[in-house]
């Protein structure tokens, strides 16, 4: 009401504009005559000023901003990422309203049900709206100020469709993801602008630099995304008839990845090791031609990830960190986030938004800069990590003992030994936290 700006910059409270030319870059897209009529927002990547060179927690979220978002940009554009985007007011406020909709009834019950009781706000949605001249007298200024106070109140959208069918919030903690998806299903598109590695980031913020905040944030994200996947706005169903197959599959993968990661990871981390411990072969023996299929799938998956890391200019150490944090998240926050969304689906739990702490104390910063995990977090996060490592350590010891002293054919057990060995090597930091470390960031003895 105060500015009636046609374009809005959205930022998280811990982000700031690091390059003022980002506005000009965004307007190049918004004013492009070929894109402008259907362009809803221009998304910039998130960059963080407090990430160490090692980045043990993958706080950079490299895969999203260098692989996934550019890929979606080749379809209808990237996901609305909650911050660092210039959005068209028309798309945000009234993307479900057709031109001329106001002509027959400016103050119709339908509009008030959608946008609330403010007549001034509803008038501002008209394309021919002219804001009152504030220089004439103080009456117009006071009126707009009072109207803005009403619109800014926390209860303004109560008993309206605002946030349900217009804002598409759907009581979800992934409201940005969902809003962007439904916008694109309505015909809007988006654009992605990412600087080269040598350029200054357009926006900078603060990221998570300790394990507790990382997993808390991951649980919130996982819950919100799976909640969307299980809702009536599920990309598998809502998007299939409203957008292209590839576009809906891209959103479906994003909304389901917490669920699709936690289940397989728990199976791979527990079932083969337990079978190995009991001397039961699960994979074909090394001499069997079918073993090469399993080995090819395993190695090609690792090679694909390594290739993505290298082509985006990161060192091999980054690949190791991402593999490790992927496994840690899959057995902890992805699991809890998925369970939270499922419980909410059955009305056994209400949606909750847990903010992420971005303020670390000096000891946490010291551990992070030194490349050491800080395991001072909830037991529900640490216990699964300890359990998985103990199971795999026991399986390696038991499996090797069976092969050496009980006559078990090593060729039948090689696949399971290889898998457990890989899990242990990639997650040595957990073993280090359990046994070797003596600082405050170690895993407490009562968890072991």
């Amino acid at each position: 009401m105060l500015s009636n700006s046609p374009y809005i910059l959205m930022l998280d409270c811990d982000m700031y504009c690091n390059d003022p030319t980002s506005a000009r870059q965004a307007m190049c897209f918004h004013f492009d005559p070929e894109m402008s009529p259907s362009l809803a927002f221009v998304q910039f990547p998130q960059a963080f000023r407090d990430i160490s060179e090692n980045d043990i927690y993958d706080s950079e979220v490299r895969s999203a901003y260098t692989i996934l978002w550019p890929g979606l940009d080749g379809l209808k554009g990237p996901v609305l990422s909650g911050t660092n985007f210039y959005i068209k007011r028309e798309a945000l406020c009234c993307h479900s309203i057709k031109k001329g909709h106001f002509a027959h009834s400016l103050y119709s019950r339908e509009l008030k049900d959608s946008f609330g009781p403010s007549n001034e706000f509803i008038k501002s949605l008209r394309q021919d709206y002219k804001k009152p001249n504030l220089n004439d007298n103080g009456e117009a200024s006071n009126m707009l100020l009072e109207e803005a106070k009403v619109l800014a109140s926390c209860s303004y959208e109560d008993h309206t469709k605002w946030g349900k069918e217009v804002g598409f919030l759907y009581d979800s903690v992934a409201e940005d993801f969902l809003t962007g998806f439904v916008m694109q299903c309505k015909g809007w598109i988006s654009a992605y602008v990412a600087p080269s590695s040598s350029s200054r980031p357009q926006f900078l913020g603060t990221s998570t630099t300790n394990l507790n905040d990382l997993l808390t944030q991951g649980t919130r994200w996982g819950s919100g995304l799976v909640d969307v996947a299980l809702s009536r706005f599920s990309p598998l169903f809502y998007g299939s008839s409203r957008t292209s197959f590839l576009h809906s599959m891209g959103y479906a993968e994003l909304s389901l990845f917490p669920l699709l990661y936690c289940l397989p990871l728990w199976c791979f981390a527990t079932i083969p090791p337990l079978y190995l411990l009991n001397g039961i072969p699960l994979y074909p023996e090394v001499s069997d031609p079918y073993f090469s299929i399993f080995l090819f799938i395993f190695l090609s998956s690792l090679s694909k990830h390594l290739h993505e890391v290298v082509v985006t200019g990161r060192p091999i150490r980054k690949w190791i960190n991402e593999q490790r944090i992927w496994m840690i998240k899959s057995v902890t926050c992805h699991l809890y986030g998925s369970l939270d969304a499922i419980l909410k689906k059955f009305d056994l739990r209400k949606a909750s938004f847990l903010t992420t702490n971005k303020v670390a104390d000096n000891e946490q910063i010291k551990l992070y800069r030194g490349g050491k995990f800080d395991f001072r977090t909830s037991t529900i996060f640490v216990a699964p990590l300890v359990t998985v490592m103990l199971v795999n350590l026991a399986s390696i010891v038991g499996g090797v003992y069976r092969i050496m002293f009980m006559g078990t054919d090593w060729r039948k057990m090689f696949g399971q030994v290889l898998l457990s060995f890989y899990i242990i090597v990639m997650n040595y930091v957990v073993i280090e936290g359990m046994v070797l470390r003596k600082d405050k960031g170690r895993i407490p003895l009562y968890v072991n």
Side-chain angles (χ1 to χ4, degrees), residues 60 62 66-67 197 307-314 318 322:
E60 179 191 9
R62 179 203 59 84
T66 63
I67 302 296
S197 57
H307 172 72
E308 290 179 353
V309 170
V310 173
V311 298
T312 52
R314 274 59 167 189
K318 181 69 173 177
E322 288 189 5

Side-chain angles (χ1 to χ4, degrees), residues 124-182:
S124 73
L125 300 176
R126 294 180 56 167
Q127 295 198 358
D128 59 350
Y129 172 73
K130 293 182 179 179
K131 193 170 67 172
N133 189 347
L134 302 182
N135 295 323
D136 287 350
N137 54 63
E139 185 177 345
S141 178
N142 291 335
M143 180 272 293
L144 286 180
L145 186 59
E146 291 302 315
E147 202 72 21
K149 291 179 180 178
V150 173
L151 287 163
S153 66
C154 295
S155 59
Y156 177 78
E157 71 275 14
D158 289 354
H159 310 298
T160 72
K161 295 178 181 178
W162 187 266
K164 295 292 183 180
E165 296 180 13
V166 179
F168 295 102
L169 301 181
Y170 186 63
D171 194 24
S172 171
V173 295
E175 76 290 338
D176 48 1
F177 173 87
L178 180 55
T179 299
F181 172 62
V182 179

Side-chain angles (χ1 to χ4, degrees), residues 261-275 282-283 330-331 388 391-392 419 423:
Y261 281 173
C262 71
L263 294 179
L265 259 292
W266 267 108
C267 292
F268 278 121
T270 56
I271 295 176
L274 291 174
Y275 272 59
L282 193 60
Y283 300 112
S330 295
V331 299
V388 167
V391 167
N392 281 273
L419 185 58
I423 292 173

Side-chain angles (χ1 to χ4, degrees), residues 90-98 101 109-116 157-172 175 178-186 188 232-233 238 242:
E90 178 189 357
L92 179 64
C93 293
C94 53
H95 56 270
S96 61
I97 295 181
K98 305 293 188 295
H101 185 87
R109 174 52 55 187
E110 180 185 355
L111 288 176
K112 291 197 173 185
D113 285 345
S114 294
F115 296 103
E157 71 275 14
D158 289 354
H159 310 298
T160 72
K161 295 178 181 178
W162 187 266
K164 295 292 183 180
E165 296 180 13
V166 179
F168 295 102
L169 301 181
Y170 186 63
D171 194 24
S172 171
E175 76 290 338
L178 180 55
T179 299
F181 172 62
V182 179
M183 276 183 179
Q184 292 180 343
C185 286
K186 293 284 186 180
W188 293 97
R232 65 188 179 94
F233 296 111
Y238 186 85
R242 295 172 173 85

Side-chain angles (χ1 to χ4, degrees), residues 1-10 27 31 86-93 121 124-125 129 131:
M1 293 305 301
L2 298 179
S3 70
N4 198 38
S5 58
Y7 302 97
I8 302 168
L9 168 62
M10 197 74 71
M27 291 306 109
F31 292 166
Y86 290 86
I87 190 168
K88 187 182 295 180
R89 176 186 287 270
E90 178 189 357
L92 179 64
C93 293
F121 178 60
S124 73
L125 300 176
Y129 172 73
K131 193 170 67 172

Side-chain angles (χ1 to χ4, degrees), residues 154-422:
C154 295
S155 59
Y156 177 78
E157 71 275 14
D158 289 354
H159 310 298
T160 72
K161 295 178 181 178
W162 187 266
K164 295 292 183 180
E165 296 180 13
V166 179
F168 295 102
L169 301 181
Y170 186 63
D171 194 24
S172 171
V173 295
E175 76 290 338
D176 48 1
F177 173 87
L178 180 55
T179 299
F181 172 62
V182 179
M183 276 183 179
Q184 292 180 343
C185 286
K186 293 284 186 180
W188 293 97
I189 62 172
S190 60
Y192 187 56
V193 181
S196 63
S197 57
S198 59
S199 303
R200 65 189 295 189
Q202 290 100 343
F203 298 92
L204 277 177
T206 306
S207 187
T208 52
T209 56
N210 63 79
L211 190 64
N212 180 67
D213 295 339
L214 178 80
L215 299 182
T216 300
Q217 182 186 67
T219 301
R220 185 180 75 244
W221 287 355
S223 175
L225 291 171
V226 175
D227 181 40
V228 173
L230 300 178
S231 73
R232 65 188 179 94
F233 296 111
S234 171
L236 288 174
F237 307 106
Y238 186 85
S240 59
S241 61
R242 295 172 173 85
T243 185
S244 68
F245 174 78
L246 286 178
H247 187 248
S248 60
M249 287 300 99
Y251 269 90
E253 192 274 339
L254 287 169
S255 64
L256 284 168
F257 86 84
L259 188 60
L260 297 181
Y261 281 173
C262 71
L263 294 179
L265 259 292
W266 267 108
C267 292
F268 278 121
T270 56
I271 295 176
L274 291 174
Y275 272 59
L276 174 61
L277 189 61
N278 290 278
I280 304 173
L282 193 60
Y283 300 112
E285 63 179 66
V286 177
S287 58
D288 192 317
Y290 286 107
F291 179 79
S292 60
I293 298 176
F294 287 91
L295 187 62
F296 173 78
I297 293 173
F298 179 70
L299 293 179
S300 62
S301 175
L302 297 181
S303 301
K304 172 183 174 293
H305 183 206
L306 178 60
H307 172 72
E308 290 179 353
V309 170
V310 173
V311 298
T312 52
R314 274 59 167 189
I316 295 179
R317 177 182 60 198
K318 181 69 173 177
W319 172 74
I320 297 173
N321 289 339
E322 288 189 5
Q323 283 283 313
R324 181 191 303 123
I325 211 67
W326 166 63
M327 287 189 273
I328 288 175
K329 283 184 173 182
S330 295
V331 299
T332 55
C333 61
H334 290 162
L335 172 65
Y336 296 131
S338 299
L339 289 175
D340 187 75
I342 293 171
L343 291 174
K344 181 195 166 191
K345 182 67 177 177
F346 291 100
D347 292 326
L348 298 176
R349 179 180 172 86
K350 291 190 177 293
S352 57
F353 188 92
L354 300 175
T355 57
T356 305
N357 175 39
K358 299 293 181 69
V359 181
D361 60 38
N362 291 334
E363 188 168 355
Q364 287 177 329
I365 294 174
K366 184 178 179 181
L367 289 171
Y368 175 65
R369 296 293 177 187
K372 292 184 177 293
F373 272 64
D374 186 355
F375 290 103
R376 287 176 292 179
T377 183
S378 172
T379 304
I380 65 170
F381 289 137
V382 178
L385 301 179
V386 172
T387 301
V388 167
M389 296 311 298
L390 290 178
V391 167
N392 281 273
L393 284 169
S395 71
I396 283 284
V397 174
V400 172
Y401 179 84
R402 284 180 177 277
I403 291 170
M404 295 182 64
F405 300 106
M406 298 179 65
T408 301
D409 189 349
W410 70 271
R411 290 171 296 183
K412 295 182 178 180
M413 296 296 179
F414 180 75
Q416 287 152 267
V417 171
L418 177 65
L419 185 58
S420 288
F421 180 75
Y422 174 75

